[in-house]
Amino acid sequence: MTMSLSLLSVFLMSGLVTATASQFHFTQSSYNVSIPEHSAKESLATTDQMVGVFVSDSVNNVSYRVVSGDPDKLFKIEERLVGDFWFLSVRTRSNSLNRERKDKYVLTVNATATSGLEATTVVTVNIVDTNDLSPLFYYPEYSTTVPEDLPVHSSVIKVFAEDADLGRNGEVYYSFLEVSEQFAIHPVTGVITLTRPLRHSERSVYDLQVLARDRGIDIRGVKKPFSKTKVQVLVAQVNQHGPEIYVYHLPEISEYSHADVYAIVRVIDRDD
C-alpha cells in the first residue's frame, strides 16, 4: 500500500512538472523587432509584439540570454516584470549597426526560470535604413563630342549616380550646378539634352557641373550633401556648306596686262 502511494505521488508530481513546463513558454515561436542603423549605444529595439513569457505563482524570476546569432556581441537582452509577464527587450551595445553591411540579425534567445524551467524563441532584429549615404557618380568626369549640327532636343550624354540607401533615401535626382541655356538635364534619368543650336565658331567647349541629390532627410532633419561630377561637351566642326563659285567674264583682255585674263573667279565657303 505504501509503495502504491509513493508511485502515485511520483506520478502526480511528474504530471504537475509537465503541466508547469508546458505553461512556461514564449507567447510566440518567433518575433520581429526593429532598430535604425547607427543608433546610439543602449538604444532600444521597437516592436508592436508582446515579447516574453507569462509566469505563474511558482515562477519567481526569469532571465534571458542570447545563445546564438550574435557572435560580435552587438546586442544585449533585458528582462522586466510587469504583472505576470516578463518582457524581453533588445538593446544595442554600440553604434556600429550598418544596414548596408547587414540588414538583419536572427537571435536565438533562451528563457530560464528560477524553478529550472526553460523556453526558447527566435528574435529577428531588423536594421532600419537611415539616410546616411550620399549618391555616388560612376565616374568623376564625363566627356563627349557632338557635331555642331546636332538637332535641338537630341541626347548628348547620360550621367549616372547610385545611392545604396532604401526608398526615398536612395532615389537620385540630378541638376546643374549653374543654369545652362544650352543644355537641360532630366532630373530622374540623368540624360543631358541640347536645348539650343550649336555653333563651333562661337564656342567649341562646354564645361558643365552636374549635381546628384537623394530625396531623403537624414537622421538630424538636414538634407544630405550632394555629389558632383564634371561633364565636358566638345563641339566638332561640320562641313555644312559647299563652296560657291562666282565667275566674272571680262569683255576683253586687260590693257597692259602681261597675261591673258579672260575672267575673274571668286570662291566662297560659308563654313568657318
Side-chain angles (χ1 to χ4, degrees):
M1 182 66 176
T2 303
M3 182 176 295
S4 298
L5 289 174
S6 298
L7 290 174
L8 179 60
S9 298
V10 171
F11 177 77
L12 291 175
M13 288 298 295
S14 176
L16 179 61
V17 171
T18 302
T20 304
S22 65
Q23 294 173 0
F24 185 76
H25 57 79
F26 283 93
T27 55
Q28 295 180 197
S29 59
S30 63
Y31 302 92
N32 282 281
V33 300
S34 300
I35 191 166
E37 61 179 331
H38 306 300
S39 293
K41 181 180 179 181
E42 301 291 332
S43 294
L44 182 67
T46 59
T47 181
D48 57 0
Q49 298 173 308
M50 195 171 181
V51 185
V53 297
F54 283 101
V55 293
S56 61
D57 295 338
S58 61
V59 178
N60 295 323
N61 292 297
V62 174
S63 61
Y64 298 119
R65 66 185 181 91
V66 177
V67 295
S68 67
D70 186 20
D72 298 323
K73 306 298 182 185
L74 299 174
F75 307 99
K76 65 178 181 179
I77 304 297
E78 297 179 349
E79 53 276 318
R80 179 169 56 95
L81 178 63
V82 178
D84 61 349
F85 191 81
W86 279 93
F87 282 90
L88 181 155
S89 301
V90 179
R91 288 188 184 273
T92 58
R93 293 183 182 272
S94 67
N95 64 345
S96 60
L97 296 177
N98 188 330
R99 187 204 62 82
E100 286 75 34
R101 294 180 181 173
K102 190 170 183 178
D103 61 357
K104 67 179 178 181
Y105 297 82
V106 181
L107 312 179
T108 300
V109 179
N110 180 261
T112 303
T114 51
S115 61
L117 298 176
E118 293 188 357
T120 302
T121 191
V122 173
V123 179
T124 299
V125 183
N126 297 288
I127 311 303
V128 180
D129 182 59
T130 60
N131 194 19
D132 60 329
L133 299 175
S134 297
L136 292 177
F137 281 99
Y138 266 32
Y139 304 104
E141 294 185 2
Y142 292 79
S143 180
T144 187
T145 300
V146 296
E148 63 177 330
D149 61 349
L150 184 71
V152 173
H153 305 307
S154 296
S155 297
V156 175
I157 194 173
K158 179 179 180 178
V159 298
F160 183 75
E162 192 171 30
D163 192 320
D165 289 321
L166 297 177
R168 288 174 57 89
N169 295 338
E171 294 178 6
V172 179
Y173 281 70
Y174 304 94
S175 62
F176 287 134
L177 178 62
E178 298 179 354
V179 176
S180 172
E181 296 182 352
Q182 196 74 49
F183 303 95
I185 185 167
H186 194 284
V188 177
T189 65
V191 174
I192 296 175
T193 55
L194 183 66
T195 57
R196 290 189 176 185
L198 296 168
R199 283 190 63 85
H200 177 272
S201 59
E202 295 178 359
R203 189 170 179 178
S204 61
V205 179
Y206 292 86
D207 290 316
L208 308 172
Q209 297 285 340
V210 178
L211 309 181
R213 290 186 173 93
D214 61 47
R215 299 290 288 176
I217 302 296
D218 77 358
I219 56 178
R220 294 175 298 280
V222 180
K223 286 195 68 63
K224 295 293 293 183
F226 54 79
S227 294
K228 183 169 61 175
T229 190
K230 177 183 177 181
V231 178
Q232 186 175 77
V233 181
L234 305 176
V235 181
Q237 187 176 11
V238 175
N239 188 17
Q240 296 177 312
H241 306 284
E244 300 174 7
I245 302 175
Y246 300 91
V247 179
Y248 175 66
H249 295 277
L250 298 177
E252 56 186 20
I253 298 176
S254 299
E255 189 177 0
Y256 308 116
S257 174
H258 297 289
D260 295 335
V261 179
Y262 299 97
I264 298 175
V265 178
R266 184 184 179 195
V267 180
I268 299 176
D269 192 323
R270 287 184 290 172
D271 289 317
D272 298 325

